[in-house]
Amino acid sequence: DPRPGLIRVGPPATVVTVTAEAVAADVPVHVVGPVRSRSGFYASVASVLALPDWFGHNLDALADCLTDLAWLPAGPRMLVWVGPDRLGSADPDGYAALAQTLAQVAEQSADGSRPLTVVLVEE
């Protein structure tokens, strides 16, 4: 089973190999990206996780939603961010803030009913 937390992988690992492992472990996978802006990331994650209408498309709201996930069935889940290096090139500060928030949320989720593994798949 994937462990909660933030994991960075790169070639030869791909979104296909990462998601195949999660699916084999019966863990739902949600894929975001690639994106070149924070707003693009927020829109993508809101879509793939069906975030509530109150999601404010900012770091605090992202942390609140990912810490909760109560609208989804209990159990582990995986968020796969494809091509985070694209945002890292376009907006290094935004990338760093998102990666830090995702790491914190994933670590905090380890003991909850919806543990979250976040995988950054570099291209």
Side-chain angles (χ1 to χ4, degrees):
D1 286 344
R3 293 185 317 180
L6 185 126
I7 303 164
R8 296 172 196 270
V9 298
T14 66
V15 66
V16 173
T17 58
V18 169
T19 56
E21 288 180 28
V23 169
D26 203 26
V27 174
V29 179
H30 308 274
V31 179
V32 299
V35 296
R36 295 186 188 280
S37 67
R38 282 186 260 190
S39 61
F41 180 85
Y42 295 136
S44 185
V45 79
S47 176
V48 301
L49 285 171
L51 296 183
D53 291 340
W54 56 262
F55 174 57
H57 295 257
N58 59 57
L59 283 176
D60 289 338
L62 179 67
D64 289 345
C65 285
L66 295 182
T67 301
D68 183 10
L69 295 177
W71 59 93
L72 298 174
R77 57 190 64 243
M78 180 181 285
L79 180 66
V80 177
W81 182 2
V82 179
D85 47 317
R86 292 185 190 188
L87 179 59
S89 295
D91 180 1
D93 292 338
Y95 165 78
L98 279 170
Q100 180 180 7
T101 299
L102 292 170
Q104 290 170 344
V105 166
E107 288 173 26
Q108 292 169 357
S109 76
D111 297 327
S113 63
R114 291 169 182 84
L116 180 66
T117 302
V118 178
V119 181
L120 278 56
V121 181
E122 302 286 349
E123 297 181 303

